[in-house]
Amino acid sequence: KAGVTQTPRYLIKTRGQQVTLSCSPISGHRSVSWYQQTPGQGLQFLFEYFSETQRNKGNFPGRFSGRQFSNSRSEMNVSTLELGDSALYLCASSFGQGVEAFFGQGTRLTVV
Amino acid sequence: GQQVMQIPQYQHVQEGEDFTTYCNSSTTLSNIQWYKQRPGGHPVFLIQLVKSGEVKKQKRLTFQFGEAKKNSSLHITATQTTDVGTYFCAVGVWGAGSYQLTFGKGTKLSVIP
C-alpha cells in the first residue's frame, strides 16, 4: 500500500510569509502527527489529529496550526515565518495510539 | 512533559565492531519504540517494547527494555556500513484523552569501512 505522502518536498520562503504543508496518511490511518526536526533540537512534536480533531499539541507558538480533513489528509500552516522555522517537517500516520508510526519523507522548509 | 535521555549523541565505529545506544527515563514507561533514520531520509519504525525485561532480536539488532521499564537499549552486533544513520528511541505518553510520542535526541552512528 502507498506510504505517507508529504508535499511539497522542498520549500523556500521569505521571513514574514506563511506556508502550508500537506500530508496524506496511509489509507485507513486516522491519526496524523506532525514533527519539526532540526539538528539542534531533534524531533519535536507539533500536534496530533484524529478524526478531524486536534487531540494534542506540543510546545510551539500559535503561529503553528493544523487541521485534518474528513479523508484524514492533514495540513499544517505556519504564519509569519521566522528564520528559526527552517527545518524538516515530518508527518506521521498511525492506525491508532501506542502503535508504530509511519513517517513521510518530510518537507524541507528554508526561510530566508 | 515526558523527558527521555538518549546516549551517546554520536558514535563512530570501525566496521565489524559492536554498537549500543541507550535510552533513559526518570519515570516508568508504558512502552518504548525505536526508529532509524538514514542520512537524508525519514524515521523508519524498527520495533516496540512493552513488557518489563523484554528482549527482542532482529538479525544483528537486539533491543532490551529494562526491568523497571525506565530504560532501553539497542545493540548492533558486527556493524556494517548499511547500519549508518541516526537511531531514535520514542516513548508514548498518555494524557487526558491524548497521546503523544516523544523522541529522544537520537544517536548518530558512523561506520568506518
Side-chain angles (χ1 to χ4, degrees), chain A residues 37 55 97-99 101 104, chain B residues 33 35 37 42 48 98-100:
Chain A
Q37 186 173 33
R55 291 197 297 195
Q97 295 175 330
V99 295
Chain B
Q33 298 179 353
Y35 291 80
Q37 185 174 22
H42 57 279
Q48 175 165 283
S98 70
Y99 174 82
Q100 177 176 332

Side-chain angles (χ1 to χ4, degrees), chain B residues 6-80:
Chain B
Q6 193 172 353
I7 55 170
Q9 191 174 357
Y10 302 96
Q11 185 80 57
H12 304 273
V13 300
Q14 203 76 33
E15 189 173 16
E17 291 183 337
D18 292 357
F19 159 77
T20 305
T21 173
Y22 302 89
C23 200
N24 299 299
S25 169
S26 58
T27 59
T28 303
L29 304 170
S30 301
N31 62 59
I32 193 162
Q33 298 179 353
W34 286 92
Y35 291 80
K36 175 185 178 181
Q37 185 174 22
R38 294 180 189 273
H42 57 279
V44 174
F45 176 83
L46 293 176
I47 209 154
Q48 175 165 283
L49 305 172
V50 179
K51 300 176 183 175
S52 167
E54 189 170 15
V55 178
K56 287 189 176 180
K57 293 191 176 185
Q58 290 179 351
K59 297 183 180 177
R60 295 178 294 103
L61 276 61
T62 302
F63 304 84
Q64 286 190 295
F65 204 5
E67 292 291 340
K69 299 182 72 174
K70 289 185 176 181
N71 57 75
S72 180
S73 65
L74 157 59
H75 179 83
I76 302 178
T77 303
T79 54
Q80 300 175 358

Side-chain angles (χ1 to χ4, degrees), chain A residues 39-43, chain B residues 4-6 9 86-89 103-107:
Chain A
Q41 296 298 320
L43 274 155
Chain B
V4 56
M5 300 299 296
Q6 193 172 353
Q9 191 174 357
T86 302
Y87 293 84
F88 294 95
C89 61
F103 283 79
K105 291 272 174 90
T107 297

